[in-house]
Amino acid sequence: GVEGIPALVPHPSLRAVLSLCHESPGVFATEDIDKGAVVEVFPLMRLPREAVALQGIASSAVLDPSDTSFALLPLGWFAAYRQSHPANAEISLHAGAVPRYAVCRALPGGVKAGDEICVRYSLGFLCVQIGEA
């Protein structure tokens, strides 16, 4: 990565395809991903909260924990990951004064080839849709 930011390349085994269970895109592993392995790093675009609501992209954005008048719009495949329990991966924010990226890592047990990657969010990740807060 550059200056402490991990490489912004998704794990090579990821594929976004239509989920037969949910009739919407999901992210699947084509090979096993070991526990703790980085699945994807999402650069964060910091935008005024009102602008995000006006653009109709609020469902993909989260509140900035350093200033909730701003939203963080994760780039990459973030919006295609399904939030689910039990999860096989976790998304956490970079621990900076103003987060610049989020990281998705495989949980203990890893992700098996063919499985959909279902995520949970770490503490401090304010996954509140902009219109709800």
Side-chain angles (χ1 to χ4, degrees), residues 13-81:
S13 74
L14 298 184
R15 297 292 178 266
V17 297
L18 186 64
S19 171
L20 298 176
C21 300
H22 304 286
E23 298 180 0
S24 63
V27 180
F28 293 80
T30 59
E31 61 187 55
D32 291 350
I33 301 174
D34 294 333
K35 77 173 185 170
V38 172
V39 175
E40 187 172 4
V41 176
F42 312 98
L44 299 172
M45 186 181 305
R46 190 170 188 250
L47 302 167
R49 193 171 163 177
E50 302 80 38
V52 170
L54 290 172
Q55 293 298 317
I57 53 176
S59 64
S60 296
V62 296
L63 296 177
D64 183 339
S66 66
D67 181 350
T68 57
S69 66
F70 284 89
L72 302 171
L73 182 64
L75 304 177
W77 289 2
F78 180 86
Y81 287 92

Side-chain angles (χ1 to χ4, degrees), residues 52-117:
V52 170
L54 290 172
Q55 293 298 317
I57 53 176
S59 64
S60 296
V62 296
L63 296 177
D64 183 339
S66 66
D67 181 350
T68 57
S69 66
F70 284 89
L72 302 171
L73 182 64
L75 304 177
W77 289 2
F78 180 86
Y81 287 92
R82 192 163 327 284
Q83 183 177 349
S84 181
H85 297 286
N88 55 14
E90 181 175 79
I91 297 176
S92 59
L93 290 175
H94 167 67
V98 175
R100 295 187 302 168
Y101 62 90
V103 178
C104 180
R105 290 185 185 275
L107 289 170
V111 180
K112 303 295 179 213
D115 284 355
E116 182 171 16
I117 298 174

